[in-house]
Amino acid sequence: TAAVTVDAVAAIEAAKPDVESLEQARVAFCSDSDAQKAVNDLLASLPNELADADTATAVRRGLALWCAGREREASEWLAGSSSAIARLFTVRSLVAAGRPLAALECAGDQVPDGATTAMAEAHANLGNADELDALLGSIDGADKLYFEGRAADLAGEHDDALTKYQAALVEDASHTGALFRQAFALHLYGDEEEAVAAYRDAVRKFWRGDRDM
């Protein structure tokens, strides 16, 4: 809701944002005009050039850009900070922007708190089966089933992968990663009608705010 976004914006301005409020603000931004105004007003109040901002201001702008779904820009503004929340959202932004290798380089040897699924996505996208497998024990629920599907795909076990994606969707019908991968698998199997329906569902839910996969 817009109220959640206003709270998140206030937290960003006060340099005390939390992950949950940012995620809720991002979802609200995709569908609520008041939420969009709150985030855009914050962006308008901050410098447009990275060279004109100190580190704390850069983090505030980076987090606001992430809420607005502008992941590539967000990663550039957040990258200069070593704070935990900046590192987390840098990694998530880089993965969402299609830069998995940069995300892994940013994370270094230790997965930032809250970034496990983003790191798993990065390894899956790069075909790093062993690294993906090592992270599965730290993931649960629909995400675990989804990444088990990604691992099965990397192993060439595409039937098992499709079963895992479908199981993930039983647990979470809004899991966009599973929806996209299920659609791709259905397309490969020649089930065009179901594949198109799954792609449309995934795109609709993606634009409602779940963009990490």
Side-chain angles (χ1 to χ4, degrees):
T1 66
V4 170
T5 304
V6 170
D7 290 344
V9 166
I12 292 172
E13 290 176 321
K16 296 180 179 179
D18 65 272
V19 174
E20 183 178 0
S21 65
L22 291 171
E23 290 174 340
Q24 291 173 345
R26 178 186 177 94
V27 171
F29 182 89
C30 294
S31 59
D32 187 284
S33 60
D34 289 336
Q36 292 163 10
K37 183 178 186 304
V39 174
N40 288 331
D41 284 350
L42 174 58
L43 288 170
S45 73
L46 296 170
N48 285 317
E49 299 294 332
L50 189 55
D52 297 331
D54 58 27
T55 300
T57 302
V59 170
R60 285 196 289 273
R61 184 171 181 83
L63 293 175
L65 286 165
W66 184 86
C67 289
R70 294 160 61 179
E71 292 93 351
R72 185 173 293 275
E73 294 172 79
S75 67
E76 294 169 356
W77 284 83
L78 293 168
S81 172
S82 60
S83 71
I85 198 158
R87 287 188 67 229
L88 167 61
F89 282 95
T90 302
V91 170
R92 291 179 65 169
S93 295
L94 288 167
V95 172
R99 301 181 60 197
L101 187 57
L104 296 179
E105 290 173 348
C106 173
D109 295 332
Q110 187 172 6
V111 178
D113 288 344
T116 304
T117 56
M119 297 290 286
E121 188 74 14
H123 283 303
N125 290 344
L126 291 168
N128 299 336
D130 290 343
E131 290 83 352
L132 173 58
D133 185 64
L135 291 173
L136 287 177
S138 301
I139 302 172
D140 55 21
D143 285 335
K144 184 177 183 68
L145 291 164
Y146 164 73
F147 284 115
E148 287 175 347
R150 296 300 306 270
D153 265 334
L154 291 178
E157 299 167 355
H158 303 302
D159 287 342
D160 289 343
L162 178 56
T163 298
K164 291 291 186 180
Y165 299 141
Q166 291 171 335
L169 291 169
V170 170
E171 288 209 18
D172 178 4
S174 297
H175 197 293
T176 53
L179 280 167
F180 274 115
R181 298 303 301 187
Q182 174 188 244
F184 181 68
L186 290 169
H187 172 72
L188 290 179
Y189 284 121
D191 195 338
E192 296 298 332
E193 185 173 346
E194 285 198 31
V196 169
Y199 274 127
R200 286 176 175 167
D201 197 18
V203 169
R204 183 169 60 253
K205 288 168 181 172
F206 175 91
W207 285 111
R208 282 212 298 256
D210 185 359
R211 301 186 185 185
D212 282 354
M213 299 180 187

